[in-house]
Amino acid sequence: MALPRSPLYLVTQREALPPGVSLEQCVQEALQGGVEIVQLREKHADSREFLEIARGLQTICDAAEVPLVINDRVDIALACGCRAVHLGQSDLSVKDVCALMPTAKSIGVSAHDVSEATVACATDDVSLIGIGPIYATTSKSDAKEALGPRKLARIIDALRAYERTLSSANGRVSIVAIGGINASNAARVLHMTCNFDTGETEAGLAVISAIVSSPRPREAAQSLSDILADYRSEGRSHKPSREDLLANVVRLHDSSRESGGLLHHITNTVVQNQCANVALALRASPIMSMSPEEAGDLSAILGCLVINLGTLTDDSLRVMKEAGRHANSNKKPIVFDPVGVGASAFRQSKTDQLLDHVQMSIIKGNAGELAALSGDKSVRARGVDSAGGFADPVKAVRDLARQERCVVVLTGQIDYISDGMTVIKLSNGVPHLGNITGSGCATGTCIAAYASAAHSMSTTMRATVPQASIWGGGDMLSAAVGGILAMTVAAEIAMEKQPGGPSTFTGHLIDALYNLTAQNLVERARVEVV
Ligand SMILES: Cc1ncc(COP(=O)(O)OP(=O)(O)O)c(N)n1
Ligand SMILES: Cc1nc(C(=O)O)sc1CCOP(=O)(O)O
């Protein structure tokens, strides 16, 4: 029985069962809910008991035509005629297991980093790698430090790159993510493991407590299986042309004028008023709530969430995580503005935490901010401003979009936008935008207004990034283009009114945003698909 790719993988642990439920009952139901591999992992069973359970589960798994894997105990696997085992880093080596069990059909190995993963996949005999723990877990007493989904993605990318260098006929090894995974964070994990070229996940999900501890294991398995299915069937859509993009922007603009959405801003105290005025000018409804208690209710009616890092505190971070979690589970778009992320170690580490918990739809920042996110030391941040730019902005924006699996907007004299495949260069705008406070944050509001429209039109407008249809549900690339165009074209129109200085310019800018038409955007757009 071949192992399925990116499977839903159940690992057993009797101690995790709810009272009154037997392991056999749990496994039977989990199989009905869509589990595709079962691993027997019983740390507290003696050898006879272990073998007895293995024989019972073998019968159940055979009937469901699902592979059974034995954790650690090659002797038990041999005794019950099972030809699949899972090995940890301190268990018998793959070579020794192959010698003991020459008929082994499947050997899985645990890995926590790139080196363990590449060593495991260097041999033809390993067919699956379990990478973890992704999140904190109570099911493994000696679990290592949680990796988070972003480190998982980097391990998988490195593993696939290494596989491409192997000359042997190795097939691609199956991967499962393990540790603290449940229905509320599974999509976040799968999103980060999506292959950019195929749009499909590179990893399956292995769980203990999410299924074993549930009083309804069939439903628990079914909901994980449904989430996995979303990430197996996504197809890549085409690279948009300049004409496609502008036509999309027009549709988003018209839709946002008809029914602007609710834009929940978690933003800094300096720019709240400015952002609220810009949202109103674009016919959206701003709400500046900082209460974690209402994040769930707001998320249900939200058009887009804006998370802006300026004036960050531990309290505001808590609100960001809570609101982000709700927006993700309600599939609402999130625009993230990592204001001054490179300015201090505090901001950098809080941002890492936030990005490990919340999947952003669009990240917008200047060169210093985006360099801090990608770890590029060639661009320095000067407080919330950037000192210099990227040598190759097209590559920088595309690589970061791939790293974070979202649309990335690099702002500057020329703006660049990428979804990881397409890069768009926009050359509208006026220098005066740099003389008013909060114009960058208000650009985040503009992008959010178009993202909200894209979300509400998601059934008619296909996302260019397949994953974006799960996270934000809609064409986030066109939304980012629309938001940047709105701000920069409105600034050009405001400048033509000959403002006396920054204050009158601000007034003209709000008026220009209010009166902006789709025709203004199309006629003035200096947009290039690179
Ligand atoms: C699919 C999968 N991945 C990882 C593990 C962990 O195995 P190991 O490192 O051997 O730790 P124990 O399970 O023995 O505690 C696994 N069992 N399954
Ligand atoms: C068995 C196991 N291995 C891990 C690893 O990191 O290799 S974490 C883990 C426990 C997974 O249980 P739960 O889904 O309840 O968190």
Side-chain angles (χ1 to χ4, degrees):
M1 223 175 288
L3 291 188
R5 265 180 75 76
S6 319
L8 177 56
Y9 189 133
L10 172 68
V11 181
T12 72
Q13 178 158 301
R14 284 175 305 169
E15 297 76 34
L17 288 164
V21 179
S22 73
L23 186 61
E24 289 70 20
Q25 219 178 322
C26 168
V27 171
Q28 286 270 20
E29 284 201 32
L31 290 169
Q32 289 161 9
V35 160
E36 297 162 295
I37 303 183
V38 177
Q39 180 191 124
L40 178 59
R41 174 185 179 272
E42 292 300 332
K43 292 284 171 184
H44 303 294
D46 62 32
S47 298
R48 280 200 192 165
E49 195 183 16
F50 202 134
L51 182 56
E52 197 182 320
I53 304 170
R55 286 187 171 134
L57 290 194
Q58 181 83 74
T59 310
I60 294 171
C61 289
D62 281 351
E65 296 188 32
V66 159
L68 176 71
V69 178
I70 305 293
N71 184 47
D72 298 348
R73 302 285 304 266
V74 180
D75 55 340
I76 301 283
L78 285 166
C80 72
C82 168
R83 292 289 172 265
V85 288
H86 186 89
L87 307 169
Q89 289 290 323
S90 51
D91 295 327
L92 286 180
S93 72
V94 174
K95 195 167 157 223
D96 289 333
V97 170
C98 290
L100 285 169
M101 195 196 269
T103 54
K105 287 215 174 72
S106 162
I107 299 180
V109 170
S110 308
H112 183 71
D113 55 31
V114 173
S115 151
E116 289 177 357
T118 47
V119 168
C121 95
T123 151
D124 278 341
D125 301 308
V126 171
S127 51
L128 180 140
I129 299 182
I131 303 177
I134 310 306
Y135 294 110
T137 176
T138 51
S139 306
K140 180 169 163 65
S141 54
D142 58 347
K144 295 193 173 157
E145 193 191 338
L147 294 165
R150 292 161 79 229
K151 276 207 191 109
L152 167 70
R154 285 178 206 176
I155 296 174
I156 293 176
D157 287 348
L159 183 59
R160 293 302 186 212
Y162 174 73
E163 271 181 334
R164 288 192 288 274
T165 68
L166 297 176
S167 52
S168 69
N170 283 12
R172 283 152 68 87
V173 73
S174 282
I175 298 171
V176 288
I178 186 164
I181 295 171
N182 54 49
S184 67
N185 59 25
R188 172 86 188 94
V189 174
L190 295 174
H191 181 89
M192 285 307 291
T193 63
C194 263
N195 176 312
F196 247 88
D197 299 315
T198 63
E200 284 185 32
T201 178
E202 289 281 346
L205 303 172
V207 302
I208 298 180
S209 49
I211 293 179
V212 177
S213 299
S214 166
R216 287 181 296 279
R218 181 152 58 83
E219 283 88 336
Q222 183 72 61
S223 57
L224 289 167
S225 174
D226 289 348
I227 297 168
L228 252 169
D230 270 347
Y231 283 91
R232 283 170 172 168
S233 56
E234 291 278 351
R236 269 260 166 233
S237 73
H238 70 290
K239 186 170 170 164
S241 65
R242 180 182 188 278
E243 290 64 39
D244 291 337
L245 276 170
L246 290 180
N248 289 343
V249 167
V250 168
R251 294 168 70 196
L252 295 178
H253 182 86
D254 291 343
S255 159
S256 66
R257 295 276 146 165
E258 264 169 40
S259 54
L262 179 70
L263 308 184
H264 176 190
H265 285 69
I266 301 170
T267 193
N268 66 78
T269 49
V270 184
V271 300
Q272 288 190 350
N273 185 51
Q274 180 85 323
C275 291
N277 278 327
V278 165
L280 285 171
L282 294 169
R283 314 295 195 275
S285 307
I287 183 163
M288 286 17 208
S289 165
M290 292 296 287
S291 311
E293 295 78 12
E294 61 181 3
D297 288 346
L298 288 181
S299 174
I301 51 170
L302 197 63
C304 183
L305 173 67
V306 180
I307 299 182
N308 177 306
L309 214 62
T311 61
L312 177 71
T313 62
D314 276 324
D315 279 348
S316 62
L317 182 74
R318 200 159 61 85
V319 187
M320 291 171 189
K321 279 189 187 166
E322 190 61 5
R325 187 174 67 78
H326 284 292
N328 278 175
S329 61
N330 285 323
K331 299 179 181 173
K332 298 293 176 75
I334 308 177
V335 174
F336 179 48
D337 191 344
V339 177
V341 55
S344 70
F346 172 77
R347 282 191 198 220
Q348 183 83 55
S349 83
K350 300 294 168 186
T351 302
D352 276 341
Q353 272 182 31
L354 184 63
L355 290 175
D356 269 335
H357 281 87
V358 179
Q359 176 61 48
M360 306 301 171
S361 314
I362 301 174
I363 298 179
K364 174 207 83 74
N366 62 31
E369 289 157 352
L370 298 193
L373 293 186
S374 59
D376 181 337
K377 301 274 182 288
S378 68
V379 183
R380 280 179 310 109
R382 198 176 49 213
V384 297
D385 295 322
S386 173
F390 290 105
D392 185 348
V394 170
K395 180 174 179 328
V397 75
R398 185 171 44 218
D399 286 354
L400 187 59
R402 284 177 170 243
Q403 178 187 306
E404 298 301 332
R405 267 54 171 193
C406 68
V407 169
V408 169
V409 179
L410 167 62
T411 56
Q413 212 175 343
I414 295 177
D415 303 304
Y416 293 88
I417 300 177
S418 180
D419 60 2
M421 295 215 309
T422 308
V423 179
I424 297 147
K425 186 174 166 191
L426 301 99
S427 318
N428 291 89
V430 298
H432 230 39
L433 274 175
N435 296 332
I436 58 170
T437 190
S439 63
C441 301
T443 302
T445 301
C446 292
I447 295 172
Y450 287 81
S452 167
H455 170 74
S456 63
M457 296 177 74
S458 56
T459 48
T460 51
M461 282 178 75
R462 182 98 178 89
T464 54
V465 180
Q467 306 93 296
S469 64
I470 308 280
W471 299 99
D475 183 352
M476 293 298 136
L477 185 69
S478 300
V481 172
I484 290 289
L485 274 181
M487 178 53 94
T488 52
V489 166
E492 289 173 3
I493 296 171
M495 208 57 205
E496 287 160 13
K497 306 280 181 210
Q498 301 186 327
S503 170
T504 36
F505 173 71
T506 305
H508 288 314
L509 178 63
I510 302 285
D511 287 351
L513 284 167
Y514 182 79
N515 293 314
L516 199 64
T517 63
Q519 199 182 352
N520 293 147
L521 295 176
V522 173
E523 282 176 0
R524 289 175 180 256
R526 290 201 290 276
V527 171
E528 238 178 281
V529 177
V530 184

